[in-house]
């Protein structure tokens, strides 16, 4: 996969270890800053990485700040981004399987390098399982686009697309 990574100054120390680890798993990864210890603002990097993922230039993203909270909040303001903050691998895996998350965030003040690698590994190897989870993700998309009619349509739908594993089919319908 092609992965975008970003951090603020607090996440900077952990970032190179994560980059090396992601490469060792066979993925490519590009760093969108920060590049120095100078104090900076996490929304800059949350937005930047989120836009790279939302535009499909990158398959997914990884974000690091002190807690993972601020940088994921910023990323989640970009349309079509579902960023999750994780401090343990179970939520990371389930967030991909059930919520189709496309950005993983964690905090360098919360997790150490080995736990962070385990979280990354679980998240990268998991896949969205669709089915009933697709309807819920589509409800999130409908909220994001402030499309109340679509929200209700999806919520009440008995469409088989929500019960099979063709998770990408409904996305097309939502974006037209
Ligand atoms: C920076 O001090 C800190 O607030 C930031 O790294 C992050 O933890 C915010 O959520």
């Amino acid at each position: 996969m092609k992965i975008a990574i970003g951090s603020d100054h607090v996440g900077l120390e952990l970032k190179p270890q994560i980059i090396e680890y992601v490469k060792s798993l066979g993925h490519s990864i590009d760093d969108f800053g920060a590049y120095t210890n100078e104090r900076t603002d996490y929304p800059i990097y949350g937005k930047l990485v989120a836009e790279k993922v939302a535009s499909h230039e990158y398959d997914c993203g990884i974000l690091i700040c002190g807690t993972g909270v601020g940088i994921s909040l910023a990323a989640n303001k970009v349309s079509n981004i579902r960023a999750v903050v994780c401090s343990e691998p179970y939520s990371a895996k389930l967030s991909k399987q059930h919520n189709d998350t496309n950005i993983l965030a964690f905090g360098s003040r919360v997790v150490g390098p080995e736990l962070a690698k385990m979280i990354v590994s679980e998240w990268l190897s998991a896949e969205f399982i669709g089915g009933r989870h697709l309807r819920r993700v589509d409800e999130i998309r409908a909220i994001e686009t402030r499309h109340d009619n679509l929200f209700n349509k999806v919520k009440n739908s008995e469409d088989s697309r929500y019960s099979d594993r063709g998770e990408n089919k409904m996305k097309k319908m939502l974006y037209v």
Side-chain angles (χ1 to χ4, degrees):
M1 277 191 288
K2 199 176 165 198
I3 299 169
I5 192 167
S7 74
D8 68 356
H9 54 293
V10 182
L12 195 68
E13 201 180 318
L14 180 56
K15 190 166 54 174
Q17 299 175 69
I18 299 303
I19 290 173
E20 284 316 305
Y21 180 65
V22 167
K23 283 183 183 166
S24 79
L25 296 176
H27 304 287
S28 76
I29 185 161
D30 290 326
D31 183 2
F32 290 94
Y35 304 113
T36 72
N37 282 327
E38 196 181 330
R39 184 171 292 141
T40 183
D41 297 334
Y42 55 79
I44 298 167
Y45 311 98
K47 178 176 184 287
L48 192 52
V49 166
E51 286 172 347
K52 297 288 176 193
V53 175
S55 67
H56 302 295
E57 202 179 325
Y58 286 80
D59 297 310
C60 60
I62 297 175
L63 292 170
I64 315 170
C65 67
T67 59
V69 173
I71 205 158
S72 64
L73 287 176
N76 274 317
K77 296 296 178 191
V78 175
S79 286
N80 298 321
I81 291 302
R82 288 174 302 285
V84 61
V85 191
C86 288
S87 306
E88 37 72 31
Y90 181 76
S91 302
K93 179 177 178 173
L94 269 285
S95 82
K96 183 76 84 65
Q97 291 184 334
H98 290 195
N99 317 116
D100 199 16
T101 48
N102 48 16
I103 290 188
L104 171 69
F106 45 86
S108 62
R109 288 171 171 159
V110 181
V111 297
E114 296 311 314
L115 180 55
K117 288 178 199 171
M118 203 177 283
I119 292 167
V120 167
S121 166
E122 286 295 315
W123 188 70
L124 287 178
S125 59
E127 286 182 18
F128 182 50
I129 59 178
R132 68 186 187 279
H133 303 292
L134 173 62
R135 177 171 55 240
R136 295 157 187 169
V137 172
D138 279 340
E139 286 167 358
I140 294 172
R141 288 194 185 96
I143 295 168
E144 183 175 73
T145 54
R146 290 171 174 73
H147 202 322
D148 288 344
N149 290 340
L150 184 57
F151 180 89
N152 288 324
K153 191 173 158 193
V154 171
K155 184 161 73 84
N156 299 325
S157 174
E158 298 197 359
D159 196 313
S160 63
R161 280 173 289 196
Y162 290 115
S163 55
D164 66 18
R165 293 168 73 89
E167 55 268 14
N168 287 317
K169 292 179 194 161
M170 192 64 190
K171 289 179 186 168
K172 287 193 186 121
M173 185 175 154
L174 288 165
Y175 297 141
V176 289

